[in-house]
Amino acid sequence: MSDFSIKADSMTSGLFNSALVNSARRSLTGLVVGLALVATPTAFAAAGGDLHAANISLNNAGSLQNGAKLYFNYCSGCHALNFMRYARIAEDLGLSEEQVTKNFMFTDAKFGETVHANINPKDAAEWFGKAPPDLSLEVRARGADWVFTYLKSFYLDPSRPIGWNNTVFPNASMPNPLWELQGLQTATFKPGENGAEHTLEKFELRQPGSETPSEFDETVRDLTAFLQYASEPAALHRKSIGIWVLLYLGVFTFLAWMLKNEYWKDVH
């Protein structure tokens, strides 16, 4: 692609022009304290919620490129992709080495190396008790719907040390990294029946973000799509390879049928 800005939205140029500054700032104010611990859909069901369908498509190159931009600007401060290389991302997403180097590489890593977090893992482990987890297999482990819903379900909670909570993953140790886009929302719960835990009734947006709810859904969908791609990059090429495999099997079957007729013609 000749132009990386495949989405003509108002935030694209601003995010890339100040990518390094934003990444450093969010490393201190956002995901730097995030530890995405293990959770399951069952934990979310206990809070009375339902997972939202992500409805992502790995065939949408624009969505994957925007998701990559979002990951590197909002997540890479703390979370690495140790199974992904910058060069592979460039190749699969149709980007040049210059585009990836300029817009995605905020560390001293080389183009052929894997994606490391901006924060030093040893420092993170010392400061927070545990280094933020690698996100290479996040979607593969939890599912796209879980990640999509999780990123939308942060709410203000003064009782928590960081001031944030999450209905998908109660008492998560990570603040909302996308709060500037989503805005600030609160959650209303209703008591559970027969001694059960309280259940989610509704979210209420107290302070709008820079995006509308529908725009934020698309933002989270793109980020989830990129993380799904990172979980299994070969999925991008599986369909095209499968077509060639089917064509090969078709030709091979035809040749085998002709060979069988040649061998058995004297018998019949």
Side-chain angles (χ1 to χ4, degrees), residues 91-225:
E91 178 183 355
D92 289 344
L93 271 58
L95 305 174
S96 67
E97 180 176 350
E98 180 182 0
Q99 288 171 323
V100 171
T101 302
K102 179 180 178 180
N103 299 309
F104 293 165
M105 299 178 67
F106 305 141
T107 66
D108 58 356
K110 305 298 183 182
F111 183 66
E113 294 180 347
T114 56
V115 179
H116 301 297
N118 294 357
I119 191 173
N120 187 306
K122 294 182 178 179
D123 292 338
E126 180 181 352
W127 296 338
F128 313 123
K130 182 179 180 181
D134 179 89
L135 298 183
S136 299
L137 301 177
E138 189 74 8
V139 173
R140 193 168 185 178
R142 307 178 191 274
D145 292 350
W146 191 97
V147 173
F148 177 73
T149 309
Y150 171 75
L151 291 173
K152 294 173 53 180
S153 300
F154 284 95
Y155 65 94
L156 296 174
D157 184 356
S159 67
R160 296 290 300 155
I162 58 175
W164 290 94
N165 211 328
N166 191 288
T167 56
V168 175
F169 187 5
N171 300 326
S173 299
M174 187 174 93
N176 184 4
L178 305 175
W179 71 268
E180 292 175 314
L181 306 180
Q182 182 186 27
L184 305 177
Q185 66 180 4
T186 57
T188 301
F189 297 91
K190 56 184 178 181
E193 298 180 356
N194 301 323
E197 295 185 10
H198 62 269
T199 57
L200 175 66
E201 183 175 355
K202 65 178 180 178
F203 285 118
E204 182 178 351
L205 190 62
R206 293 295 181 89
Q207 178 181 319
S210 60
E211 297 184 346
T212 65
S214 60
E215 289 172 341
F216 184 70
D217 281 354
E218 284 300 310
T219 292
V220 176
R221 184 170 290 112
D222 291 348
L223 178 54
T224 304

Side-chain angles (χ1 to χ4, degrees), residues 246-264:
L246 291 176
L247 289 175
Y248 167 78
L249 291 176
V251 172
F252 178 81
T253 301
F254 176 72
L255 294 176
W257 174 76
M258 293 183 62
L259 183 62
K260 177 261 183 187
N261 287 341
E262 184 67 24
Y263 281 159
W264 287 83

